[in-house]
Amino acid sequence: MSVSAIIMLLIAIGTVWGGLVLAIVNIVRHPEIDD
């Protein structure tokens, strides 16, 4: 793999996991519980 391909792969993985972590943190901070 070329360096540019590895960099793009890391950016894609970071974006996916970063978004997932932010979503979890947002849910934990603002739980939407309907009683």
Side-chain angles (χ1 to χ4, degrees), residues 1-15:
M1 292 179 69
S2 62
V3 175
S4 61
I6 294 173
I7 291 173
M8 289 300 296
L9 183 64
L10 291 175
I11 290 173
I13 292 172
T15 300

Side-chain angles (χ1 to χ4, degrees), residues 18-34:
L20 184 63
V21 170
L22 287 176
I24 292 172
V25 169
N26 190 28
I27 291 171
V28 171
R29 285 185 178 179
H30 307 286
E32 297 180 1
I33 300 174
D34 294 329

